[in-house]
Amino acid sequence: RLCVKGMYDAAIEEGLCLFNPAVDIRVKSFVPKQKKSTYSAENVDALFLYASNHKYGLGVCLLLDLGLRCSEMLGLQWRDVDFVNHCIDVSRASVSVDGKAYVSIPKNETSVRTLPLSSRLERLLYCAWLQANRPTDDSYIVPAPSGAPYTPANFTKNRYNVFFKDANTDLGLQRLSPHELRHTCGTNLYARSGDISAVSAFLGHSSVVVTTKFYVHISTDMMRKRLQI
């Protein structure tokens, strides 16, 4: 489709035809979509407690409680944490450019948001801030050893995978991807609140349609509770 569209675009520029018949062609994939896995609320609590005491657990706790994209979590600086008003600003993301971390604005306008902190996450962040000897405002909360930001791939390889190898051994929990922790957060927030608009805003989506279609997974137990079956 891309090749044919490009050929017709070039032909139009050369005055050889008047319209591009490939513009409205849609190619449907028949590859089955891989189903996202999520943790139950009980597993989230157990994993959060375990991560709170693991040397590589802070990033996992941020992903679990805030439902951030991995790039957003890695872009967080200490200036973003407001211990007075119990919230955190999400205003940048660390992405990979030629294998190196590049910090820029997040995915879209709605990705820039201020999120309330749970009491458990706020306590963990405050302890981490003290343990880091009260770092400067522009220091990254989950930095690479050099102090620079991680790329998502390097964070996953050097911290995330190491953490989940330990968690699997000690807790028996299967490893979920960082993005599946985002799905887990959205699903559990919706299970508690039933407010899809609030969950969509929390996750930084541009539309509740995205939240409903891709990020909220209705379990059998949730259907039973909601439908009183």
Side-chain angles (χ1 to χ4, degrees):
R1 178 188 176 276
L2 289 174
C3 289
V4 173
K5 182 178 180 298
M7 290 165 60
Y8 274 100
D9 284 340
I12 291 171
E13 290 179 6
E14 295 295 329
L16 299 176
C17 66
L18 298 178
F19 71 98
N20 190 333
V23 168
D24 295 324
I25 294 175
R26 296 291 179 265
V27 181
K28 184 176 180 180
S29 173
F30 292 96
V31 177
K33 291 184 178 180
Q34 186 176 0
K35 185 178 180 180
K36 297 291 185 182
S37 297
T38 58
Y39 290 127
S40 66
E42 293 75 17
N43 284 340
V44 167
D45 290 341
L47 190 60
F48 189 98
L49 180 61
Y50 181 81
S52 299
N53 297 287
H54 192 283
K55 63 179 179 178
Y56 294 152
L58 180 57
V60 174
C61 289
L62 288 164
L63 294 172
L64 276 174
D65 249 32
L66 299 177
L68 300 176
R69 301 173 180 94
C70 190
S71 58
E72 293 173 340
M73 183 274 291
L74 296 173
L76 291 174
Q77 297 177 339
W78 285 109
R79 71 170 80 246
D80 301 321
V81 184
D82 186 342
F83 290 116
V84 175
N85 295 303
H86 318 294
C87 58
I88 189 168
D89 292 328
V90 181
S91 59
R92 68 188 73 81
S94 176
V95 297
S96 180
V97 178
D98 296 329
K100 296 182 179 180
Y102 175 76
V103 178
S104 64
I105 59 174
K107 187 176 180 181
N108 50 52
E109 288 184 8
T110 54
S111 296
V112 178
R113 58 204 189 277
T114 299
L115 302 178
L117 288 171
S118 66
S119 57
R120 67 180 184 180
L121 183 56
E122 185 173 5
R123 285 194 302 270
L124 182 62
L125 284 169
Y126 187 69
C127 290
W129 180 72
L130 291 177
Q131 290 172 0
N133 296 318
R134 294 178 168 83
T136 58
D137 286 351
D138 59 353
S139 298
Y140 290 93
I141 296 178
V142 183
S146 65
Y150 268 116
T151 64
N154 284 338
F155 167 78
T156 301
K157 177 183 177 181
N158 296 313
R159 286 201 175 190
Y160 191 85
N161 289 346
V162 175
F163 168 83
F164 267 98
K165 183 178 179 181
D166 293 341
N168 178 259
T169 300
D170 296 334
L171 299 180
L173 288 178
Q174 65 168 327
R175 175 195 180 279
L176 298 188
S177 70
H179 209 70
E180 284 175 316
L181 296 192
R182 179 167 163 80
H183 283 254
T184 293
C185 180
T187 297
N188 288 328
L189 284 174
Y190 182 67
R192 291 203 304 266
S193 68
D195 190 332
I196 194 65
S197 296
V199 174
S200 182
F202 192 91
L203 294 177
H205 288 153
S206 57
S207 167
V208 295
V209 174
V210 176
T211 313
T212 305
K213 186 174 181 180
F214 297 110
Y215 285 83
V216 172
H217 305 271
I218 308 298
S219 67
T220 304
D221 288 340
M222 193 187 302
M223 283 192 286
R224 187 185 305 279
K225 181 178 178 181
R226 296 289 172 124
L227 300 175
Q228 299 181 1
I229 297 175

